[in-house]
Amino acid sequence: MPYIYSPVRQILRSMPLILLLILAGRPLYARDVTIIVEDIELDMPLEGAIIRAEGGGNGDEKATDENGRVALVVPDNRQTRLQIAYPGYENAIFIVPPSGTTFTVGLRLSGGAGLENRELVVEAQKPGESETKTGRSVAISGGDLARTAEIGVIEDVMTSIKLLPGVGYTGMFNAMPSIRGGEPGDLTAVFDGFYIENPYHWGGGVSIFDPRMAQSAQLSHGVFSSRYGHTISGLLEITGRKPDPFDVELELGLSSSAANLNVSYPLFGKGGVMIMGKATYWDLFVSLAKLAVEEVNYIKIAPYIRSAAFGANYRFTQNFEGTMFGFIGGDGVGAFYNNPIEYDGMTMHTDFDFEWFNLQGFLITGLVFNPKPNMALKASLGGGFLRTKLNGFIDYYLTVPYSDDFLTLFGNIITKKTYTVDTTMFADMVDTTANYQARVDYDWDVGKGFLFAAGVQGLYARYELEEHDQAALEMLAVTPPFSDGLQGSDGKKHPVYLNYPANYNNSSANQTLTSSAYTLLEYTSPQKRFGGELGFRVDHLFFAGKDFTLQTLPALNPRLNLDWNIARNTGFFDKITATIGSGLFSSITDNISSIQSGDGVGDFELKQNRSWTSIAGIKLDFLGFSVNVEGYYKRIFDRAYSALVTNSVNQTIAIARKFDGEGRIWGFDVMLQKTSSRYWDGWISYSFNWARYRNPASDSYTADWFYPNFHRFHNLNLVLNIKPLRSFNIATRFGFASGAPKTVAGEISSYPVIVLDEHGHPVDIIQKYKRPSLYSDTERDGFALTWDVKASFFAYSRAGRGQMEVYIAVENILASLETRQRNSSFNSYTGKEDQGSNTASYQLPIPMPSIGFRWTY
């Protein structure tokens, strides 16, 4: 047998040696220490200072609290070197002695900048910086991000986001969750201020955000700042990782499904450059899955992802810094099926071929300038592209016997015992998007606790779509000569359906220009007892097609947040804070990109999705724990929706676009979190959500209030990290979700169908079966469970610069306990129910094991 190189084989062969080295090394013990960061001249604590243990990577970064304190875990048998950075101050290096528990580090202002400059830089350099803030956002960074995202067959930041309160359950391979009852596609992603057009691989299966690209991630699903918009449900803000300005960093990772390499190089202590690359190899996994899941045998191209990223930053002077970040990534998958089958007297031969390819990238540049000690100016410019190509066809030929009852009823017009169906359906699509963005943000520390900010942004996009589809459609005959029905032997006229090949063609080249402006005023009282933010944002859309333009009205979005620090260091409470907020939001739905002149959308009919959101919350910090409770109400209006309209005369499909959809949503989230500690940390969150939508112009049940198909009343997540030894950690995550809406199945019945050719001429009469599916407010499928576990073994170099991790993980452990039930499917040609088709599985029904090795320096 020829030798085939496999990274998995290399890891397995190295595993005994790696484990032996770990176990043979002398035991490592650790202790908790507290670092206090202060202004060396004013003896004032510095909140938000970043502290990182050298050689520890992103996972070991921590930020100081409002008292300038941060708790760290360090080995007690050697010194630990810490890097400490704070905007506007000189960076510092601190060596933690082998003994002691509390240490104070003083930082000195760089370049003689004043106090106002330091406060301003924090706000202006990172507007919307990742932090958990009651009523606005919940953030995850550092070790929490690494432990929850760097696990399994695909390491993805969205894996962490799906564990946060307010995020609906989606299953393993779905990175498009519902955020507090909003539609899944309305989650908007921002990377360092740049709006990402489509931040997904595999059509939404996973996101493009590798954990090693991100310093932190923040989900804003409350009344967030007017600095950002383009969403009515949730804003995902990814803060990109920055290279270390002092040391070379190297990270190499190999796992059973992917390989990655990250290199960072410093630039004279003023910045650095870094390069990241990632490649998946699922061939082995697909081969093993074929033994357990029959459908996997149809995969001809194993799912793959190839991506690379580049980042750089440089501080030219103390008041001027430049940044750059670029990304390019591709993904694809292919399937082929050719298999004749016979059952229930039917002979069927099916050919199926499908290929998907997606390529996207973006480049962001930014400048930060402090013209005066109390002012900051930030400008960014970027562009991105997306190209998706899909080719697929289904060709099936079948021979089916008529039932005896059908022949008895229509024996006067049917003279044969069987009929044949020969159908070809295909889809050929190329979707290309190019977008360019520019924005300018200005912050001014007015003094006495007031901060004024304003900004403008322009986002230009060009959408080109070439789509040619053919499908076999079926509809009730409503026009002569078939509208009278078929005469049966019972003397009655029976309604007849028409089956015909219908084509859908779209060749569009549309352009949009979204211009936005905002202004806001923030206030913080002395000692931070009270704070507030009053903002106003306006977003306007200009739309131009090949031979038409559409006028739209601007969306006005005022927002107000008020915060109270109710108590501090009272009893066993470290802090009690409360907040209320209310505001308007707007977004642009994706399906407007393919509007054509014949779609019947006139001036001022095209609208942005709107929502009015109000929220109230309280947060309690005590004894190393925090409890956050938030309640919210959202009213959605001017929501875009569409429906297919078929025409049996010219055999075409059209899309009716409407912009009068409504929604009503309310709910609450509760989160109990244990902050990082020596032996364990994590959180547990519970979310309740009630969401109803209505499409007034629809001709289906959605014309009245209904629960959307993604809705779930209850979501529970538990994240627990157990760290008995510095050299051994266990990370586990558990999820529970109540059922999604399920339709009520009616009785199966047969009906006559007249088959038409491409010219609309009848060629045959066949028998088919139907079963109505009725919407129900009360029917739900069963609950969903998910459980993932990761065990990590660590080894460290004596100097503390190098670190090695070997992990074993299993995702989807509870796959065999799948309880969700849906209506069983049935064969529309035989009328028989398909066996085992009533499980509503949203992920692969098998546990997903993985192993990996990571080395950092």
Side-chain angles (χ1 to χ4, degrees), residues 762-774:
V763 296
D764 202 357
I765 299 177
I766 66 175
Q767 178 188 15
K768 292 189 69 176
Y769 294 84
K770 63 182 178 179
R771 181 179 63 186
S773 294
L774 305 176

Side-chain angles (χ1 to χ4, degrees), residues 37-38 46-51 62-65 68 70 84-87 107:
V37 182
E38 297 180 343
L46 299 179
E47 178 182 0
I50 301 299
I51 300 178
K62 296 291 182 63
T64 56
D65 61 17
V70 65
I84 305 174
Y86 192 73
L107 299 186

Side-chain angles (χ1 to χ4, degrees), residues 125-342:
Q125 190 166 351
K126 295 183 179 180
E129 181 183 1
S130 295
E131 62 174 331
T132 297
K133 203 165 186 180
T134 304
R136 296 171 178 79
S137 59
V138 58
I140 184 169
S141 61
D144 288 334
L145 182 61
R147 283 186 289 268
T148 55
E150 295 176 7
I151 176 176
V153 293
I154 292 292
E155 298 181 351
D156 184 7
V157 168
M158 281 304 300
T159 303
S160 300
I161 298 301
K162 291 191 288 186
L163 300 171
L164 299 177
V167 181
Y169 173 83
T170 62
M172 187 171 179
F173 290 108
N174 187 343
M176 301 176 68
S178 167
I179 307 298
R180 284 184 169 172
E183 294 188 270
D186 195 62
L187 175 64
T188 297
V190 176
F191 189 95
D192 283 348
F194 183 88
Y195 290 93
I196 307 299
E197 182 72 27
N198 183 30
Y200 303 106
H201 290 302
W202 298 336
V206 297
S207 83
I208 66 173
F209 301 123
D210 186 281
R212 294 164 190 82
M213 288 173 55
Q215 188 74 30
S216 60
Q218 176 176 294
L219 176 64
S220 299
H221 48 26
V223 182
F224 54 86
S225 172
S226 300
R227 297 178 190 269
Y228 290 107
H230 304 303
T231 180
I232 62 172
S233 295
L235 177 71
L236 176 60
E237 298 177 67
I238 304 295
T239 301
R241 180 180 177 181
K242 286 189 175 183
D244 192 290
F246 299 105
D247 292 317
V248 175
E249 294 182 327
L250 176 64
E251 180 176 348
L252 172 65
L254 289 175
S255 72
S256 50
S257 58
N260 61 78
L261 175 66
N262 307 323
V263 179
S264 173
Y265 191 82
L267 295 175
F268 318 110
K270 296 184 177 182
V273 295
M274 62 180 179
I275 300 176
M276 295 171 279
K278 174 182 178 179
T280 64
Y281 36 83
W282 273 40
D283 300 85
L284 175 61
F285 167 73
V286 169
S287 299
L288 295 175
K290 287 180 178 180
L291 302 176
V293 183
E294 181 181 356
E295 288 76 12
V296 179
N297 287 280
Y298 308 144
I299 295 177
K300 69 173 182 179
I301 301 176
Y304 67 87
I305 296 174
R306 308 285 187 266
S307 63
F310 165 83
N313 73 298
Y314 191 81
R315 182 173 290 276
F316 298 94
T317 68
Q318 294 299 331
N319 297 321
F320 185 64
E321 181 181 8
T323 62
M324 178 180 292
F325 195 95
F327 169 86
I328 187 169
D331 60 90
V333 65
F336 177 76
Y337 173 80
N338 186 325
N339 189 23
I341 57 175
E342 295 185 12

